[in-house]
Amino acid sequence: MDAHSLDTLIQSLRRLPGVGVRSAQRMAFHLLQHDRAGAELLAHALQQAVAQIRHCTQCHTFTEAEICATCLDPRRDASKLCVVETPADQAALERTSAFRGRYFVLMGRLSPLEGIGPRDIGVQRLIARASDGVVQEVILATNFTAEGETTAHVIGQALKNRGLTVTRLARGVPAGSELEYVDLGTIAHALADRR
Amino acid sequence: MDAHSLDTLIQSLRRLPGVGVRSAQRMAFHLLQHDRAGAELLAHALQQAVAQIRHCTQCHTFTEAEICATCLDPRRDASKLCVVETPADQAALERTSAFRGRYFVLMGRLSPLEGIGPRDIGVQRLIARASDGVVQEVILATNFTAEGETTAHVIGQALKNRGLTVTRLARGVPAGSELEYVDLGTIAHALADRR
């Protein structure tokens, strides 16, 4: 093989998260041998997305407009603000239909190891958003991982210092699970948070 | 989220082999949030590769020229033709520096389950290539999988019927391995092919 553009393609595919050199080679081979139309579609989709997608000025999620549809929806309860890490987490909450307030999407979580600090996840923007006089409760729905918990703690402290009511999603035993198979930390939390 | 171009991007990423909806979402999030330059690079690399990469008219591998550098190299032994499944397999053989002949790259293998027949892997082209009067030995180096073995068998029969000398890579115990940990099929083959 003496195809410079193939090497460039393999290198570019490696910038995707979770794609090593073997996967990148397999992807390039597949696209060029079996799905050139797919390669062209993907190239176009990448360019369109980069050109058109920006962040909602209210909640910071991805949107093509200045303010996203969720933030513009007048039927949503503006007194409740739910803080999530990513649009995917927001989508998971939306699927429950259990929350009809507004969101703030951090687009990440605090991670000292990766050099992601409060400024990168927009903590100041969140404080300004939550201090609009309408928001009465901020619900922290970051993940229950070490980094998500740290993020919730740091944000929670900052918001409480400004006199805001801050709550956190309940920890406990997942619906449908048997205690025998639930990990000890979860059972301990469920005991501590019993009601 | 109300970003049509984001949905399109996620759908397009799913056309990559081994990428499900979760991976596609994670890739799209990563590119748009952390690596927009990477997204643009990838878009450009896809377009360049589709526009410039074609198949070598001699060996059928990917190349940007009419005939690839390996086929044009006058120092290579034109009497030996090694048949491999993919450019990656050819690269693995080249790394050994143990073969200085020419190649024919099938760009796939026979797979009735996937509807890949002799025409898709260019068996007629291979027969024509091997019947040029210069080739004296065809070395079958398809993989030692069920599909690779079937491919080798079908190609081998077709070439032998035309009076060509056909050989197959030796099966046996991998270098550096202890018999205790080698699978039974491999040991059985190594016994049968002992020399």
Side-chain angles (χ1 to χ4, degrees):
Chain A
M1 264 195 315
D2 51 337
H4 174 67
S5 58
L6 181 60
D7 293 337
T8 307
L9 175 57
I10 292 170
Q11 289 308 315
S12 304
L13 285 165
R14 290 195 60 188
R15 292 181 79 140
L16 295 170
V19 176
V21 65
R22 294 258 168 196
S23 302
Q25 284 171 345
R26 209 176 65 236
M27 287 171 174
F29 180 83
H30 174 80
L31 289 176
L32 290 169
Q33 187 68 14
H34 302 296
D35 192 15
R36 291 193 174 218
E40 283 172 339
L41 267 182
L42 178 53
H44 186 70
L46 285 162
Q47 284 166 335
Q48 287 296 105
V50 167
Q52 296 184 9
I53 290 181
R54 45 183 171 160
H55 293 104
C56 172
T57 54
Q58 293 283 305
C59 75
H60 210 221
T61 194
F62 290 135
T63 177
E64 288 173 9
E66 190 180 332
I67 301 180
C68 75
T70 309
C71 287
L72 283 176
D73 187 347
R75 291 164 304 177
R76 300 194 76 110
D77 182 354
S79 71
K80 289 185 169 52
L81 187 69
C82 182
V83 179
V84 293
E85 292 183 21
T86 64
D89 296 333
Q90 180 185 358
L93 277 161
E94 285 293 287
R95 280 195 294 274
T96 69
S97 305
F99 180 70
R100 294 300 298 163
R102 304 264 167 97
Y103 288 93
F104 188 90
V105 187
L106 299 169
M107 305 301 273
R109 67 274 175 280
L110 290 178
S111 176
L113 285 176
E114 293 172 35
I116 300 172
R119 193 181 302 172
D120 300 298
I121 60 171
V123 172
Q124 282 307 317
R125 256 193 315 262
L126 167 58
I127 290 170
R129 173 74 184 82
S131 309
D132 67 352
V134 181
V135 172
Q136 288 173 16
E137 180 186 356
V138 178
I139 301 158
L140 301 178
T142 55
N143 289 320
F144 286 81
T145 58
E147 290 174 337
E149 294 276 25
T150 306
T151 306
H153 180 75
V154 170
I155 290 175
Q157 286 300 320
L159 293 171
K160 278 177 196 156
N161 288 346
R162 278 158 188 80
L164 286 153
T165 302
V166 179
T167 57
R168 178 89 169 104
L169 284 193
R171 282 178 297 209
V173 180
S177 58
E178 298 176 55
L179 282 187
E180 184 179 352
Y181 302 108
V182 173
D183 70 289
L184 299 183
T186 298
I187 294 180
H189 280 307
L191 259 176
D193 294 355
R194 69 187 180 277
R195 45 175 206 157
Chain B
M1 265 194 314
D2 52 339
H4 175 67
S5 58
L6 182 59
D7 293 336
T8 308
L9 176 57
I10 291 170
Q11 289 308 316
S12 304
L13 285 165
R14 290 195 61 186
R15 292 181 81 139
L16 295 170
V19 175
V21 65
R22 293 258 167 198
S23 302
Q25 283 172 344
R26 208 175 67 235
M27 287 171 174
F29 180 82
H30 174 80
L31 289 176
L32 290 169
Q33 187 69 14
H34 301 297
D35 193 15
R36 292 194 173 218
E40 284 173 337
L41 267 182
L42 178 54
H44 186 69
L46 285 162
Q47 284 166 334
Q48 286 296 106
V50 168
Q52 295 184 9
I53 290 181
R54 44 181 171 162
H55 293 103
C56 172
T57 54
Q58 292 285 304
C59 75
H60 210 221
T61 193
F62 290 135
T63 177
E64 289 174 8
E66 192 182 332
I67 301 180
C68 76
T70 309
C71 287
L72 284 176
D73 187 346
R75 291 163 305 176
R76 300 195 76 111
D77 182 353
S79 72
K80 290 184 169 52
L81 187 69
C82 182
V83 179
V84 293
E85 291 183 21
T86 64
D89 296 333
Q90 180 184 357
L93 277 161
E94 285 293 286
R95 279 195 294 274
T96 68
S97 305
F99 180 69
R100 295 299 299 162
R102 302 265 168 97
Y103 288 93
F104 188 92
V105 187
L106 300 169
M107 304 302 273
R109 67 275 176 280
L110 290 178
S111 175
L113 285 176
E114 293 172 34
I116 300 172
R119 194 181 302 172
D120 300 298
I121 60 170
V123 172
Q124 283 306 318
R125 256 193 316 261
L126 167 59
I127 290 170
R129 172 73 184 83
S131 309
D132 66 351
V134 181
V135 172
Q136 288 174 15
E137 180 186 357
V138 178
I139 302 158
L140 301 178
T142 55
N143 290 320
F144 286 81
T145 57
E147 290 175 338
E149 294 276 26
T150 306
T151 306
H153 180 75
V154 170
I155 289 175
Q157 286 300 320
L159 294 171
K160 278 177 197 157
N161 290 344
R162 278 159 189 80
L164 285 153
T165 303
V166 179
T167 58
R168 178 91 170 103
L169 284 193
R171 283 178 297 209
V173 180
S177 58
E178 298 176 56
L179 282 186
E180 183 179 352
Y181 302 108
V182 172
D183 70 289
L184 299 183
T186 299
I187 295 180
H189 280 306
L191 260 176
D193 294 354
R194 69 186 181 279
R195 44 174 207 158

